[in-house]
Amino acid sequence: MAGAGLRAAARRWLLCGGQGGPRAASSSPSCPGCGPPGPGAHCPSTPRSAPADGADLSAHLWARYQDMRRLVHDLLPPEVCSLLNPAAIYANNEISLSDVEVYGFDYDYTLAQYADALHPEIFSAARDILIEHYKYPEGIRKYDYDPSFAIRGLHYDIQKSLLMKIDAFHYVQLGTAYRGLQPVPDDEVVDLYGGTQHIPLYQMSGFYGKGPSIKQFMDIFSLPEMALLSCVVDYFLGHGLEFDQVHLYKDVTDAIRDVHVKGLMYQWIEQDMEKYILRGDETFAVLSRLVAHGKQLFLITNSPFSFVDKGMRHMVGPDWRQLFDVVIVQADKPNFFTDRRKPFRKLDEKGSLHWDRITRLEKGKIYRQGNLFDFLRLTEWRGPRVLYFGDHLYSDLADLMLRHGWRTGAIIPELEREIRIINTEQYMHSLTWQQALTGLLERMQTYQDAESRQVLATWMKERQELRCITKALFNAQFGSIFRTFHNPTYFSRRLVRFSDLYMASLSCLLNYSVDFTFYPRRTPLQHEAPLWMDQLCTGCMKTPFLGDMAHIR
């Protein structure tokens, strides 16, 4: 993720010949750009000659290792850190805001950002519902919400009571599978899935994150649900109680649903909006700016009108509806995008339903349910001139992008914290050395004598330790929501597929003009990949260690 900064650092290193200032180019054909080496000096990118037969291959490998260490150190000056801006907008697809005429928004976690203090309230209320209404053991009440346990995007195997992280290729990331609050050994995970880490497509979550036996937790409200599910399983296992995994899963999800259906969450937020709603003034600034530039706005949310009205009055003011051309509440997304049968209903100021047939959508009015097909017919807002923002990749964005050609923006609040971690010196050095060490392992594996294999095994162990270090910087159990070591997560795969843009909050729009064009960086395919650290050579494109790879055709 810090590739641009590393490449810039590499260019400085190349210009300086790996030293503190510019050096005269050398006529040496092996490494043009390096000055004459001093006594005992060696350009870390210059291929060392393979040792003669009988020479100490182990010493040769460790010399390469030390060369790489020096190169990585030289390529990472202090200013390389803090390259990424947490308030930036990141593009998966090229999009010019000058082409966007209509802006649409979800409400929860999009227009209204909520404080993390909401999660313990949801957890505790659902836990108490399990005990008092579903008659679960009283001992479960001892569990409190742990905000550091789970991350968004995890999968839960209902039949195996297994919470785990899966990558973009359907492989479980070993070391990230938990039953209850306890990690499951890697060999047990492999045995559970028939001798492999791979989860077949037919078992995986479907288009909306729900498979026959595996569910993916995709929204932010699912964090307390995962925590409660794990705590309840932990209690049953710890007390040797038999339980049906399917029933337990359903009871927990129903208890979480009851918190929403009974309006408990709405009550907490309405009673203390200063505590629970974040960045309200920034939401107002975004909406006002768009309207001032002649953009049309609409809101489609699953939340009820009374709740949305109170929140918008808090953030924007009593006249908030005048900013929106269309307001739709209790839309029942994602069914709103696919089910043609539900008509729009008009609500009055008191929330009572009207019975008249809707032939147009009027500004300042409130509508309930409906469907996207009638919405498109009545508004004629179609295709890429519409940009819709939401936090749920499936329920908010997938249908709009794939079936209707709207542009989409994903709100990912976790992005801010992850970028701050990426910007730390510890992460930057760990990741860069890990990449360099991986390159060494790839090239030096041609040495297969006993001593060399021992060296390579030591490097492999160090690489695994580095991977665990970088993972734990984000979350001790599951790591980053975007990465499973070197691969993207299943969550990342969906993020790239279903969103043109993604950002930590809607307020990031304030950092760009309404005519700004977002250009995604060209992400190299493996055959286009930029040179590894161990391939950098001052002023040349010659591949170091090529002699070691000569057997490959």
Side-chain angles (χ1 to χ4, degrees):
M1 294 182 224
L6 294 178
R7 286 192 291 272
R11 286 195 292 273
R12 290 194 296 272
W13 192 89
L14 297 177
L15 291 172
C16 297
Q19 302 297 327
R23 300 170 62 176
S26 167
S27 60
S28 168
S30 63
C31 192
C34 283
H42 174 70
C43 174
S45 319
T46 304
R48 290 180 183 268
S49 299
D53 291 342
D56 188 350
L57 289 174
S58 175
H60 171 70
L61 294 178
W62 282 112
R64 294 286 179 85
Y65 177 95
Q66 294 300 332
D67 288 345
M68 191 57 53
R69 273 288 196 188
R70 285 191 291 271
L71 175 58
V72 169
H73 180 270
D74 289 340
L75 287 178
L76 281 175
E79 65 268 19
V80 168
C81 299
S82 299
L83 288 172
L84 299 177
N85 182 0
I89 294 176
Y90 297 91
N92 294 320
N93 195 14
E94 184 172 326
I95 174 174
S96 176
L97 297 185
S98 62
D99 297 330
V100 178
E101 301 171 9
V102 185
Y103 284 76
F105 306 93
D106 180 33
Y107 180 71
D108 297 303
Y109 280 107
T110 301
L111 288 177
Q113 288 267 338
Y114 298 128
D116 291 342
L118 191 61
H119 298 161
E121 301 282 0
I122 297 173
F123 176 94
S124 298
R127 178 200 62 200
D128 294 346
I129 289 172
L130 277 177
I131 296 170
E132 295 163 12
H133 297 282
Y134 292 82
K135 307 306 179 183
Y136 271 61
E138 181 66 30
I140 293 173
R141 209 183 296 272
K142 73 176 183 178
Y143 290 94
D144 294 317
Y145 178 68
D146 180 2
S148 65
F149 178 67
I151 61 172
R152 189 151 58 125
L154 299 178
H155 284 76
Y156 186 74
D157 190 319
I158 299 169
Q159 300 286 352
K160 300 177 177 63
S161 297
L162 209 62
L163 185 66
M164 55 193 170
K165 185 176 173 186
I166 297 178
D167 71 11
F169 301 96
H170 296 199
Y171 282 85
V172 179
Q173 180 181 356
L174 295 181
T176 66
Y178 280 71
R179 182 177 289 115
L181 299 175
Q182 301 302 317
V184 178
D186 293 345
D187 55 353
E188 183 178 342
V189 173
V190 172
D191 287 342
L192 284 170
Y193 292 101
T196 178
Q197 300 166 240
H198 185 263
I199 309 295
L201 179 62
Y202 71 89
Q203 291 184 11
M204 285 288 290
S205 53
F207 189 75
Y208 295 111
K210 299 177 182 179
S213 61
I214 295 180
K215 176 189 175 179
Q216 186 178 18
F217 291 102
M218 288 297 281
D219 65 0
I220 302 171
F221 287 130
S222 65
L223 291 173
E225 182 177 356
M226 286 185 280
L228 181 59
L229 192 58
S230 298
C231 289
V232 175
V233 171
D234 183 76
Y235 180 87
F236 275 80
L237 292 176
H239 289 78
L241 301 176
E242 291 187 8
F243 63 98
D244 185 288
Q245 290 98 329
V246 177
H247 290 326
L248 187 147
Y249 167 78
K250 186 177 185 303
D251 290 345
V252 171
T253 55
D254 286 349
I256 291 286
R257 182 203 61 198
D258 288 347
V259 173
H260 296 276
V261 171
K262 294 179 178 179
L264 298 178
M265 187 193 76
Y266 301 143
Q267 294 173 19
W268 302 327
I269 295 173
E270 290 172 1
Q271 290 169 2
D272 197 346
M273 293 190 181
E274 289 293 339
K275 175 182 178 180
Y276 291 115
I277 295 182
L278 308 175
R279 294 174 166 168
D281 54 340
E282 295 174 1
T283 295
F284 179 43
V286 169
L287 299 177
S288 301
R289 185 167 176 250
L290 292 174
V291 171
H293 284 84
K295 307 299 182 180
Q296 294 176 289
L297 310 184
F298 67 92
L299 170 64
I300 303 177
T301 176
N302 286 349
S303 293
F305 170 68
S306 60
F307 175 68
V308 173
D309 184 53
K310 291 174 183 176
M312 291 301 292
R313 286 174 180 269
H314 171 76
M315 293 186 290
V316 176
D319 298 326
W320 68 271
R321 281 187 283 167
Q322 296 307 311
L323 295 174
F324 291 88
D325 294 88
V326 178
V327 175
I328 301 169
V329 298
Q330 292 177 281
D332 190 29
K333 296 179 292 181
N335 295 327
F336 178 87
F337 300 127
T338 57
D339 189 345
R340 298 172 179 263
R341 295 171 295 177
K342 292 183 179 180
F344 284 111
R345 301 284 298 276
K346 188 184 293 184
L347 291 174
D348 61 21
E349 294 290 337
K350 298 180 181 180
S352 299
L353 286 170
H354 289 204
W355 300 100
D356 51 318
R357 184 170 179 267
I358 303 300
T359 58
R360 61 186 180 130
L361 300 176
E362 302 176 66
K363 185 171 184 175
K365 304 298 182 181
I366 305 298
Y367 300 92
R368 176 181 168 182
Q369 291 186 343
N371 63 82
L372 184 65
F373 303 94
D374 286 343
F375 180 88
L376 296 175
R377 177 176 56 83
L378 295 172
T379 63
E380 297 185 350
W381 293 339
R382 300 176 183 276
R385 68 190 186 103
V386 183
L387 173 57
Y388 185 81
F389 292 92
D391 69 290
H392 199 299
L393 300 183
Y394 296 140
S395 297
D396 288 327
L397 307 181
D399 287 299
L400 295 178
M401 167 172 275
L402 298 182
R403 302 184 185 189
H404 301 284
W406 286 9
R407 310 310 291 267
T408 55
I411 305 300
I412 312 292
E414 300 95 332
L415 185 64
E416 183 173 359
R417 176 179 176 272
E418 294 232 354
I419 286 178
R420 295 193 188 283
I421 293 170
I422 290 169
N423 282 338
T424 62
E425 186 173 347
Q426 182 182 8
Y427 175 85
M428 187 72 70
H429 280 272
S430 295
L431 179 65
T432 307
W433 174 235
Q434 177 186 320
Q435 290 173 312
L437 188 58
T438 300
L440 272 177
L441 281 164
E442 182 179 41
R443 286 166 177 77
M444 298 298 102
Q445 64 184 300
T446 55
Y447 297 99
Q448 287 298 310
D449 60 283
E451 287 189 357
S452 296
R453 285 200 300 270
Q454 186 175 359
V455 172
L456 295 175
T458 303
W459 293 357
M460 186 67 74
K461 180 180 178 182
E462 181 182 359
R463 176 176 178 260
Q464 184 59 30
E465 291 171 351
L466 287 168
R467 297 169 89 179
C468 292
I469 289 171
T470 54
K471 168 198 160 190
L473 289 174
F474 297 96
N475 177 279
Q477 292 75 232
F478 301 102
S480 166
I481 71 170
F482 301 104
R483 283 280 180 188
T484 55
F485 294 142
H486 55 284
N487 283 337
T489 59
Y490 198 84
F491 178 89
S492 288
R493 180 181 182 181
R494 291 299 192 246
L495 176 64
V496 172
R497 185 69 183 92
F498 299 148
S499 66
D500 294 288
L501 305 172
Y502 65 100
M503 64 209 75
S505 74
L506 204 61
S507 63
C508 296
L509 284 169
L510 297 173
N511 300 319
Y512 302 86
S513 75
V514 294
D515 296 323
F516 193 86
T517 299
F518 293 94
Y519 296 98
R521 296 297 176 262
R522 181 185 176 102
T523 303
L525 303 172
Q526 286 300 303
H527 68 277
E528 303 172 323
L531 299 178
W532 279 95
M533 288 299 183
D534 59 343
Q535 292 175 302
L536 289 172
C537 189
T538 50
C540 71
M541 295 297 289
K542 184 175 180 179
T543 303
F545 315 146
L546 190 59
D548 301 314
M549 307 288 285
H551 69 288
I552 297 178
R553 292 291 180 263

